[in-house]
């Protein structure tokens, strides 16, 4: 396969679609169809990163916060991904905050509700009537929240 880096699919969408090659599209299905049927809703994220003057801030790479009082959803301590590498007197952490999505923002999570499920179904019907060379996959293409194991299973099913 050809891999193109630093390339916006939509800058050459027509060219790619006319190439006759199979396309695995993992972006937003509503954007693919130029929002013809309306916008699906997404949740985005905002990140705040800081350096702490401690060797170990939380003891783990990721700690999730699910209570309503905590304004962020998780804290990432990056050095734990590298298994203890890094400065012994400092650590880097990132707080992850939920953010409402609007066009131009990075869409991280689909919003699962009746309206969006219905609209997504309309988009899948539109996709079925379109080019057989385009396969929609991933969280955004299939408008579904996936954990990593589910992502792999979905990809394997898609290949079949």
């Amino acid at each position: 396969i050809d891999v193109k880096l630093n390339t916006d699919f939509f800058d050459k969408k027509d060219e790619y679609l006319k190439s006759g090659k199979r396309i695995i599209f993992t972006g937003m299905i509503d954007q693919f169809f130029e929002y013809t049927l309306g916008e699906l809703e997404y949740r985005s994220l905002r990140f705040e990163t800081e350096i702490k003057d401690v060797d170990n801030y939380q003891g783990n790479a990721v700690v999730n916060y699910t209570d309503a009082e905590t304004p962020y959803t998780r804290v990432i301590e990056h050095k734990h991904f590298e298994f203890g590498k890094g400065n012994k007197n400092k650590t880097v952490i990132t707080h992850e905050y939920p953010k409402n999505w609007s066009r131009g923002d990075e869409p991280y999570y689909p919003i699962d509700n009746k309206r969006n499920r219905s609209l997504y179904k309309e988009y899948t019907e539109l996709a079925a009537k379109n080019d057989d060379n385009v396969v929609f996959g991933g969280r955004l293409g299939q408008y579904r929240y996936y954990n990593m194991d589910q992502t792999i299973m979905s990809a394997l099913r898609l290949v079949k």
Side-chain angles (χ1 to χ4, degrees), residues 14-29:
D14 291 337
E15 179 184 329
Y16 295 143
L17 293 176
K18 290 176 186 172
S19 73
K21 295 180 181 178
R22 168 122 335 153
I23 295 170
I24 309 296
F25 185 80
T26 60
M28 301 184 311
I29 190 170

Side-chain angles (χ1 to χ4, degrees), residues 135-153:
V135 177
F136 294 89
R139 279 186 182 179
L140 305 177
Q142 295 179 334
Y143 200 72
R144 191 170 289 130
Y145 179 86
Y146 284 128
N147 290 317
M148 189 51 66
D149 61 323
Q150 295 167 317
T151 300
I152 293 166
M153 182 58 71

Side-chain angles (χ1 to χ4, degrees), residues 18 43 98-99 113 136 146 154-155:
K18 290 176 186 172
R43 183 166 59 90
K99 176 184 172 198
N113 61 28
F136 294 89
Y146 284 128
S154 172

Side-chain angles (χ1 to χ4, degrees), residues 2-120:
D2 294 328
V3 176
K4 297 182 185 209
L5 302 175
N6 303 314
T7 304
D8 186 333
F9 172 82
F10 294 102
D11 288 344
K12 297 184 177 187
K13 179 181 173 184
D14 291 337
E15 179 184 329
Y16 295 143
L17 293 176
K18 290 176 186 172
S19 73
K21 295 180 181 178
R22 168 122 335 153
I23 295 170
I24 309 296
F25 185 80
T26 60
M28 301 184 311
I29 190 170
D30 53 341
Q31 182 184 23
F32 182 90
F33 290 109
E34 299 172 358
Y35 307 100
T36 314
L37 304 173
E39 271 186 12
L40 290 162
E41 296 171 295
Y42 301 89
R43 183 166 59 90
S44 193
L45 298 171
R46 178 176 59 84
F47 302 97
E48 289 184 7
T49 300
E50 59 186 296
I51 298 171
K52 294 283 193 182
D53 291 325
V54 296
D55 176 44
N56 187 340
Y57 179 76
Q58 65 186 12
N60 288 295
V62 179
V63 176
N64 293 319
Y65 294 84
T66 58
D67 62 287
E69 292 76 36
T70 305
Y72 43 85
T73 53
R74 69 181 57 141
V75 176
I76 301 162
E77 187 170 4
H78 301 273
K79 71 169 33 173
H80 294 292
F81 287 114
E82 298 179 31
F83 305 106
K85 292 182 182 175
N87 189 318
K88 295 288 183 195
N89 300 314
K90 293 188 183 286
T91 193
V92 177
I93 65 164
T94 300
H95 287 86
E96 183 179 295
Y97 294 86
K99 176 184 172 198
N100 290 331
W101 176 86
S102 60
R103 283 192 204 183
D105 292 340
E106 186 74 33
Y108 285 92
Y109 303 104
I111 296 181
D112 185 21
N113 61 28
K114 186 177 179 178
R115 176 203 170 272
N116 288 311
R117 281 190 300 272
S118 175
L119 183 55
Y120 171 71

